[in-house]
Amino acid sequence: MRKIAFLLFFTECFFSTHSIAQAKLKPAIPAEINRPKLVVGIVIDQMRWDYLYRYYNRYSSNGFKKLITQGYSFENTFIPMVPTYTAVGHSCIYTGATPSTNGIVGNNWYEKTTKKSMYCTDDSTVQGVGNNDNAGKMSPKNLWSTTITDELRLSNNFESKVIGIALKDRGAILPAGHSANAAYWYDDKNGKWITSNYYMLQLPEWVNAFNQKDNAGNYMKQDWNTFYPINTYTQSTADNQDYELALPGLQTPTFPQKLSGITTSLKYSTFKYTPAAATFTFDFAKKAIENEKMGSGKVTDFLTVSISSTDYMGHSFGPNSIEAEDTYLRLDKDIADFINYLDGKMGKNNYLIFLSADHGAAHVPGFLKSHNINAGVFSDNIIFQQLNKMIEDNFSTKNAVLSVQNYQIYIDQVKLKNEGKDLNAVKKMITESLKNYPFIINAFETEKLNSATLGEPIKTMLANGFTPTRSGDIQFIVKPGYFDGGIKGTTHGLWNPYDAHIPLLFYGWNIKPGKTNRETYMTDISPTLAALLHIQMPSGSVGKVLGEVVK
Ligand code: ZN
Ligand code: ZN
């Protein structure tokens, strides 16, 4: 009997202490899902991954270095498709999709259904707001998939505010998605921020007020000198190289860049190439945050900022120029200033930043050649003319090639069929002749990609970049270091690491410092944001959640 009583006592004690322990261990059930006040997506147009470290020693502790050391850096992030152009990169970052499902196969393409050339964000059905010409007739209608910004709006019955900002229309419109509250881009004829009636019928007062100040014109009154003494720019070649392009309106590609000497309206176009254009973009972003009260409501807002000036500069001078070095040292100060601003406005750790790039860039071929490194340029237009002459000579069909762009050949299949020509024979002749160009490694029909003898990751990148109604019929692959372009300046667009290896940094709200060299992809950015925000991923998303930042 005593034994039973003791057992009962023991059991009672055991269970009661156990339940107390359990109550202590059980995590409190959060009443609500925790989300940041504001997400800021920063895309630096044409920023190669190696710029994080090339200029690291001269960055301040509050800009890129802060993002690298206090944020999480995905050091081996690649673009998983070609071509590596601005519209393609921005669309991929914000949709988690590749051109095969989001439809943005280039900045430009030939639309087979309408037999017309198409620019990625052209929309003839809309009108500019703050602008009366074609620069305003823009919308995201060509983008097939939703964006992460659309998904944020969809997640809470469109309570979240989404605004896209970039000098380039495509850098503002594609990230902001279909349901954005606004997208603003730059009119390079007058230095003003504009939009289209896709978003609104008139510009907000704060935008008009910003425009009236003629900030771009005022920045152009100052010449561009190097921030530090020019002899300290030891990461770069000497200033004056004959393979560099002078800025529009200037005689030489050298410091000081005499911007103040450009007094016509051309100055608004030249402004896009200068470091001050990044400052100007961040200044406008701050005005948007303040006037649209972003990050001050009950739900998460999303601001997309793309810095376009780095791309204009990069095309002219290349990665090894003093201009590039100075641009990134100054951009570092803009980023430090913007982080400082967000800390003050949102409070530290109340906002989430991610920073990436839409693509990188090749070294200037002239520069590489001067160091005995293989590189070169060619002209798509010459290939276009030569192929058309060949088909005319052999098949008596004029203009059988419609276009050569994005390293693809578009063939007028309808015309060839109507004229009773052997389409397969035409394709075979074009493919074989392309292989004879000394800079072309391989050529094949895009529909026959699967049977082409081609290594990875190129094969997958081509498949990801292909969609039948917008892509070309024949693809050609060029030697590393070669591209379609002139002998001055540089470009991007290919599969090679210099074009496809991009920075990817997460910083702020719930992000623990760290880095990984694991291979990750541009398509992973949106699914990761979706996981962090507890919202659905975009409708065409094929990426994977980066577990390192989602704990
Ligand atoms: Zn770009
Ligand atoms: Zn570019």
Side-chain angles (χ1 to χ4, degrees):
M1 186 66 196
R2 267 172 69 191
K3 209 175 181 182
I4 292 168
F6 173 77
L7 263 177
L8 276 171
F9 173 76
F10 177 80
T11 321
E12 212 162 84
C13 285
F14 176 80
F15 279 111
S16 54
T17 39
H18 185 70
S19 58
I20 290 164
Q22 226 176 21
K24 276 184 188 162
L25 282 174
K26 209 184 270 176
I29 297 169
E32 291 183 350
I33 295 295
N34 182 21
R35 294 187 176 90
K37 290 181 179 179
L38 181 69
V39 181
V40 184
I42 303 175
V43 176
I44 310 297
D45 203 312
Q46 205 190 103
M47 182 173 180
R48 292 161 53 121
W49 165 81
D50 57 336
Y51 292 168
L52 288 176
Y53 300 104
R54 185 180 178 97
Y55 310 124
Y56 185 92
N57 294 352
R58 294 180 98 189
Y59 286 147
S60 69
S61 56
N62 301 320
F64 283 118
K65 268 186 188 162
K66 192 175 220 176
L67 298 179
I68 295 166
T69 59
Q70 295 181 33
Y72 200 98
S73 181
F74 292 90
E75 297 278 303
N76 270 306
T77 303
F78 287 88
I79 302 174
M81 74 263 166
V82 279
T84 43
Y85 290 130
T86 298
V88 183
H90 282 83
S91 300
C92 177
I93 289 172
Y94 285 92
T95 60
T98 58
S100 59
T101 50
N102 71 28
I104 304 299
V105 298
N107 287 336
N108 300 277
W109 60 83
Y110 185 85
E111 185 85 39
K112 289 178 183 168
T113 46
T114 56
K115 299 192 99 187
K116 279 190 183 130
S117 289
M118 178 58 86
Y119 172 69
C120 55
T121 47
D122 263 348
D123 184 351
S124 58
T125 67
V126 301
Q127 295 296 321
V129 172
N131 164 280
N132 293 320
D133 60 35
N134 289 336
K137 293 181 179 174
M138 300 283 162
S139 86
K141 76 158 190 190
N142 286 323
L143 180 66
W144 294 336
S145 159
T146 62
T147 56
I148 188 66
T149 41
D150 282 327
E151 293 296 336
L152 178 62
R153 300 256 297 148
L154 284 162
S155 76
N156 55 23
N157 203 22
F158 304 92
E159 283 284 306
S160 290
K161 279 186 206 125
V162 169
I163 297 180
I165 290 170
L167 297 188
K168 290 185 185 179
D169 43 37
R170 56 193 184 277
I173 292 167
L174 297 166
H178 302 83
S179 61
N181 299 83
Y184 298 104
W185 56 98
Y186 177 77
D187 188 337
D188 67 4
K189 291 176 295 303
N190 56 27
K192 293 185 184 345
W193 291 98
I194 60 170
T195 186
S196 80
N197 65 359
Y198 178 86
Y199 303 96
M200 62 191 81
L201 298 177
Q202 57 186 45
L203 288 172
E205 246 338 286
W206 66 267
V207 177
N208 284 327
F210 189 95
N211 283 340
Q212 271 159 20
K213 288 191 175 139
D214 191 26
N215 294 302
N218 290 330
Y219 277 121
M220 287 296 285
K221 287 176 186 161
Q222 295 153 36
D223 293 338
W224 176 12
N225 281 293
T226 51
F227 189 84
Y228 300 105
I230 196 163
N231 60 9
T232 65
Y233 285 65
T234 53
Q235 291 292 331
S236 312
T237 49
D239 191 20
N240 196 5
Q241 302 293 338
D242 57 13
Y243 49 74
E244 292 181 338
L245 267 172
L247 294 179
L250 298 185
Q251 299 304 312
T252 63
T254 50
F255 286 102
Q257 304 275 351
K258 292 183 180 146
L259 307 177
S260 61
I262 309 170
T263 52
T264 64
S265 62
L266 179 66
K267 68 185 172 194
Y268 294 113
S269 184
T270 306
F271 177 63
K272 297 186 295 184
Y273 296 71
T274 69
T279 317
F280 172 81
T281 306
F282 280 118
D283 282 346
F284 188 69
K286 288 182 201 165
K287 290 284 179 209
I289 291 171
E290 273 154 37
N291 290 281
E292 301 296 346
K293 301 187 169 46
M294 297 190 82
S296 63
K298 286 191 179 133
V299 296
T300 304
D301 294 328
F302 203 134
L303 177 69
T304 76
V305 181
S306 177
I307 300 300
S308 312
S309 47
T310 39
D311 181 69
Y312 293 112
M313 177 286 302
H315 279 289
S316 292
F317 305 104
N320 227 68
S321 60
I322 295 175
E323 285 83 356
E325 190 172 354
D326 194 59
T327 293
Y328 279 88
L329 294 179
R330 286 173 182 271
L331 177 63
D332 179 60
K333 294 177 195 310
D334 285 323
I335 287 172
D337 174 71
F338 194 57
I339 292 172
N340 187 43
Y341 169 85
L342 291 171
D343 280 347
K345 200 82 188 163
M346 305 292 147
K348 271 190 178 37
N349 300 319
N350 285 327
Y351 63 92
L352 171 68
I353 288 180
F354 77 87
L355 182 144
S356 191
D358 54 345
H359 52 75
H363 275 292
V364 181
F367 161 72
L368 288 183
K369 279 183 182 170
S370 71
H371 294 277
N372 295 325
I373 297 173
N374 206 24
V377 294
F378 61 91
S379 161
D380 272 358
N381 197 33
I382 289 173
I383 295 177
F384 173 74
Q385 288 165 18
Q386 288 174 340
L387 292 180
N388 263 330
K389 181 168 186 314
M390 179 182 74
I391 299 304
E392 189 178 341
D393 290 349
N394 288 278
F395 293 87
S396 309
T397 296
K398 281 185 194 287
N399 305 319
V401 173
L402 292 164
S403 171
V404 178
Q405 56 182 317
N406 305 330
Y407 302 90
Q408 293 175 338
I409 316 292
Y410 291 74
I411 302 169
D412 196 339
Q413 304 202 30
V414 177
K415 184 194 235 178
L416 286 161
K417 271 183 203 157
N418 288 345
E419 291 184 8
K421 302 294 160 61
D422 181 347
L423 187 58
N424 284 331
V426 171
K427 284 182 183 172
K428 192 163 194 306
M429 180 174 278
I430 291 175
T431 307
E432 291 309 312
S433 85
L434 284 169
K435 288 178 189 169
N436 291 328
Y437 287 91
F439 48 84
I440 290 182
I441 298 175
N442 205 347
F444 44 86
E445 290 177 44
T446 48
E447 297 274 15
K448 293 180 182 167
L449 172 64
N450 245 357
S451 58
T453 307
L454 203 60
E456 292 292 3
I458 306 174
K459 200 171 199 168
T460 298
M461 291 171 84
L462 288 168
N464 285 340
F466 178 77
T467 199
T469 55
R470 292 178 175 177
S471 297
D473 304 291
I474 292 166
Q475 177 85 45
F476 58 94
I477 311 285
V478 297
K479 287 180 180 170
Y482 284 77
F483 56 74
D484 161 48
I487 53 163
K488 292 190 179 208
T490 187
T491 193
H492 49 85
L494 295 156
W495 70 272
N496 310 70
Y498 46 78
D499 282 349
H501 187 194
I502 50 169
L504 177 57
L505 296 152
F506 285 83
Y507 170 85
W509 177 85
N510 270 9
I511 302 297
K512 307 256 180 323
K515 70 167 196 168
T516 180
N517 288 308
R518 180 171 78 83
E519 193 164 308
T520 53
Y521 299 96
M522 185 185 250
T523 36
D524 300 334
I525 299 171
S526 272
T528 303
L529 291 168
L532 285 165
L533 298 174
H534 293 89
I535 62 172
Q536 187 56 274
M537 50 185 73
S539 59
S541 178
V542 294
K544 301 221 171 10
V545 174
L546 300 170
E548 291 89 339
V549 289
V550 183
K551 294 271 162 62

